[in-house]
Amino acid sequence: MPGTLDLAVDLALAGLAVGSAAALSGVGLVVTHRATGVLNLAQGAQATATAYLLRELVVVRNWPPVPAAAFCLLVAAPALGVLLDLAVFRPLRRRDAGPAEGMVAGIGVFVLLIGVIVLIWGTTPFGDAPALVPATVVARPGGHPLRLDTVVRLAVVLALAGGVGLVERCTAFGARLRAVVDDRGLARLAGIDADRISAAGWAFGSFTAGLVGVLLAPLLLLDPYGLPLLVMATMAVAVAARLRSLPVAVATGLGLGIAQSELTRLRPGGQLLPLAQAVQTNLFVVALLVAALLPWGRGQEGPGLATRGAPGRRGSSAARTACAVLLLLPLGFRPEDLRHALLVPALALVLLSLVVVTGYGGQVSLGQAGYAGLGALGTALLMSGRVPGVPALPALPALLLAVAATVPLGLLTGWPAIRRRGLALALVTFAVGTALSRLVFDQPYATTGLTVSRLGLPADDQGFYLVELVLLGSGLLLVRVLHRGRPGRALTAMRDHQAGASAAGVDVPRLKLLVFMAGAGLAALGGGLTALAEQAFDATAFDPVQGLLWFATVVVAGADSAAGAVLAAALLTGLDAGTLPGVSAVVVGALATAIGRLPGGLAGLARRLADRPAPGLTPLGDRLRRRIAERPR
């Protein structure tokens, strides 16, 4: 018994290292949200960028660690936060943009920063991130080793949380901050510079994000996808605090860190061991899912995503023509070039799933990568004979059966969507996608021994590409059916005004479930085709970071434009194949950060250009010309 207690204490002390970083992440998110009203979805990318910059200065350029850390944390990170406020979020505030547009802009910043990191430093992980505080043992209270880095991390968290609390309660700046939080409009009438408050909030939030990245990087590999996702998983701390309470955020972060360390003692026998190890390793992901599913206050729900702005008739015809040309063009490619083009129809189907869910239904979904991964994994399992009671199947039956099995799983996000919109729904869908990635796709018990081939389909790339085009055409037909006639009118009513749609007799809960299930099926079809195109199951292809990139791409292209989704798939694939890695993310991220100036995305811009009157013809003259043309003869 004493030995068990000693082990529990040692594990708790070890868990404080990660728990302190998570608590610090929660403090930054809460303070930023209270000062600006925005949940900083880009925090993971800011943390990663700061960690990469510190490594560059210390390891590559041989700066002393202390001056390098001071520059990164006290100059570069806060400056980045102020820049984001000035260039991205302040213009949105000035035109009273909704929280959904702020969320899209935050995702754009995330994607943009990840793209820049990949462009500068590549995708190869680094294991030599500098540690600012050595992990030396400074004391042994009761015989338990207490490390210096743990003491410093805990002291920093408590000092920052306590300092923020004192500033809010005991200073004039704190009084102004509370006034801005309570009512920004009244604060401005009282002469308070709300923009300055927001800039300070962004600077502090970016500082804490950088500190989180610097503290976590030495504990794991520094790579442009793993670290941002780990920091985003610590969002569970802020969500549990409902973006308000600093003490709850600190306690939750420390508690989850200790619990994750203590769970290493859990060693169930049999087939439960791999699952228990997956939960222990990804406890913050599980906590994010649980916290997001708990009831939110009405003030945190927010409106859905406004997606109006599809191209007009002329713009739509041009877009369809461009889609046809781009999809048929690869049939004349050389074999090595056609291999890259195989991913275009698959990615187009995944993006079409977002058009259905977000563009037509007005529901924010950040977890479509999870459903695409389920389609790919299900296809691989069925082809490998790994499903009990089902013999190994050829490619096409396995793909269609995997899609059929994934469609009901759309309820994972569709059911919470019945009572959630906006930010609350975005967190649920992101948590579901992250949980699928970390608890299923990345685990050996689910992916070991998989074989993927094109058995039953044309073996050559050109023949397989024709099969992809047929399946993509089927997906486009389904999307057209959903957008036309009675279903389309019901979806438009739900998207534009949910309460009004309910009053008009639309069964909104059932319609939301239908939208998410259709989106899950389309994403699964695209994911299965991705696995067949590559002839392998690759978990990294369905990483949650990819899901954020896809969501931003659809919003930029025009969320309610099916043709825009196909064109965007061709653009993403072409940029990734023909340029440096990260270029596509930089392009999409830059456009997403400017989404406040591009209502309706690029499709909305195409509509406005197509609907402009001809040169030399005034709008009144244009209307008269149409009336004369329509007059019966």
Side-chain angles (χ1 to χ4, degrees):
M1 189 71 176
T4 303
L5 180 60
D6 290 341
L7 177 59
V9 173
D10 290 340
L11 289 174
L13 292 175
L16 285 176
V18 175
S20 299
L24 187 62
S25 173
V27 169
L29 287 170
V30 170
V31 172
T32 303
H33 183 268
R34 286 166 61 170
T36 67
V38 176
L39 176 60
N40 184 15
L41 295 176
Q43 186 182 48
Q46 291 174 271
T48 306
T50 306
Y52 267 96
L53 178 60
L54 179 63
R55 180 194 174 275
E56 175 73 18
L57 294 179
V58 175
V59 176
V60 179
R61 302 185 183 275
N62 297 316
W63 281 35
V66 173
F71 174 78
C72 292
L73 296 175
L74 302 180
V75 179
L80 176 60
V82 174
L83 177 63
L84 293 179
D85 179 57
L86 292 174
V88 179
F89 295 99
R90 187 171 297 182
L92 292 175
R93 287 197 305 270
R94 287 180 174 172
R95 70 175 187 82
D96 294 325
E101 286 183 289
M103 180 177 60
V104 172
I107 294 173
V109 172
F110 180 94
V111 171
L112 175 61
L113 289 177
I114 294 300
V116 171
I117 291 171
V118 172
L119 274 177
I120 297 176
W121 289 287
T123 58
T124 303
F126 295 118
D128 56 351
L132 299 182
V133 183
T136 55
V137 177
V138 295
R140 292 184 177 273
H144 303 287
L146 186 61
R147 300 187 330 191
L148 178 61
D149 58 340
T150 301
V151 174
V152 171
R153 286 187 176 96
L154 185 59
V156 167
V157 170
L158 296 179
L160 283 178
V164 170
L166 289 175
V167 167
E168 286 186 350
R169 290 172 174 79
C170 305
T171 66
F173 179 83
R176 292 193 293 269
L177 174 61
R178 292 196 304 273
V180 171
V181 171
D182 293 338
D183 194 313
R184 193 178 192 90
L186 288 178
R188 285 177 175 171
L189 291 175
I192 297 176
D193 190 344
D195 286 340
R196 182 175 296 180
I197 299 293
S198 296
W202 275 107
F204 179 82
S206 189
F207 160 73
T208 57
L211 190 55
V212 170
V214 167
L215 293 178
L216 285 178
L219 303 179
L220 42 89
L221 289 176
L222 182 58
D223 73 276
Y225 300 114
L227 183 57
L229 193 61
L230 176 61
V231 176
M232 288 195 73
T234 62
M235 199 179 296
V237 174
V239 175
R242 288 303 181 254
L243 304 176
R244 289 191 296 267
S245 173
L246 288 178
V248 172
V250 172
T252 303
L254 296 177
L256 285 174
I258 293 173
Q260 180 172 272
S261 184
E262 295 288 350
L263 282 176
T264 56
R265 296 192 298 165
L266 184 62
R267 295 286 178 180
Q271 297 180 347
L272 291 178
L273 178 59
L275 181 61
Q277 290 175 333
V279 171
Q280 182 269 324
T281 306
N282 299 281
L283 184 61
F284 282 94
V285 174
V286 177
L288 176 60
L289 180 60
V290 173
L293 287 172
L294 291 175
W296 282 64
R298 296 184 64 87
Q300 299 291 353
E301 292 291 330
L305 184 64
T307 58
R308 299 176 187 174
R313 181 174 299 177
R314 284 178 289 175
S316 180
S317 299
R320 286 196 293 267
T321 302
C323 286
V325 170
L326 284 176
L327 290 175
L328 294 176
L329 194 61
L331 294 175
F333 285 178
R334 295 176 301 176
E336 57 270 21
D337 296 326
L338 180 59
R339 176 59 58 92
H340 295 296
L342 294 180
L343 296 177
V344 174
L347 180 56
L349 283 164
V350 178
L351 299 186
L352 279 175
S353 74
L354 281 163
V355 168
V356 171
V357 176
T358 301
Y360 298 165
Q363 310 301 307
V364 179
S365 179
L366 305 182
Q368 293 304 103
Y371 293 118
L374 284 176
L377 180 60
T379 301
L381 289 172
L382 288 166
M383 293 191 70
S384 304
R386 292 270 304 276
V387 179
V390 180
L393 298 176
L396 188 58
L399 173 64
L400 297 179
L401 188 56
V403 171
T406 306
V407 168
L409 295 178
L411 297 175
L412 291 173
T413 46
W415 189 262
I418 292 177
R419 299 184 179 276
R420 287 173 168 82
R421 299 188 76 193
L423 175 60
L425 178 59
L427 289 172
V428 170
T429 56
F430 176 76
V432 168
T434 305
L436 288 172
S437 174
R438 292 299 179 257
L439 300 179
V440 181
F441 307 153
D442 288 346
Q443 299 305 318
Y445 69 80
T447 59
T448 300
L450 295 180
T451 58
V452 182
S453 67
R454 298 175 190 169
L455 180 65
L457 294 175
D460 63 296
D461 288 343
Q462 191 173 70
F464 178 73
Y465 185 75
L466 288 173
V467 173
E468 285 189 297
L469 291 183
V470 171
L471 293 175
L472 174 59
S474 302
L476 287 168
L477 181 61
L478 172 64
V479 170
R480 183 177 178 84
V481 169
L482 288 174
H483 199 214
R484 300 289 180 180
R486 188 173 181 180
R489 291 191 295 272
L491 283 172
T492 301
M494 181 182 72
R495 179 193 67 187
D496 292 344
H497 198 287
Q498 185 171 305
S502 297
V506 176
D507 191 344
V508 171
R510 182 176 297 180
L511 194 58
K512 284 186 176 182
L513 295 180
L514 172 65
V515 163
F516 274 96
M517 291 172 69
L522 287 170
L525 182 59
L529 287 177
T530 300
L532 291 173
E534 300 287 350
Q535 299 189 59
F537 174 78
D538 181 9
T540 60
F542 312 106
D543 192 276
V545 174
Q546 287 290 337
L548 295 178
L549 173 62
W550 294 340
F551 178 82
T553 300
V554 167
V555 173
V556 165
D560 58 350
S561 171
V566 177
L567 293 173
L571 177 64
L572 281 183
T573 306
L575 285 175
D576 288 337
T579 62
L580 297 174
V583 170
S584 61
V586 170
V587 172
V588 171
L591 291 172
T593 57
I595 194 63
R597 302 175 181 86
L598 284 173
L602 297 178
L605 177 62
R607 176 190 179 183
R608 291 189 293 275
L609 293 176
D611 291 344
R612 288 175 61 181
L617 192 64
T618 64
L620 178 59
D622 193 24
R623 290 196 296 270
L624 289 175
R625 180 183 59 81
R626 286 199 298 265
R627 284 191 179 183
I628 293 172
E630 295 169 359
R631 183 179 300 172
R633 298 182 183 276

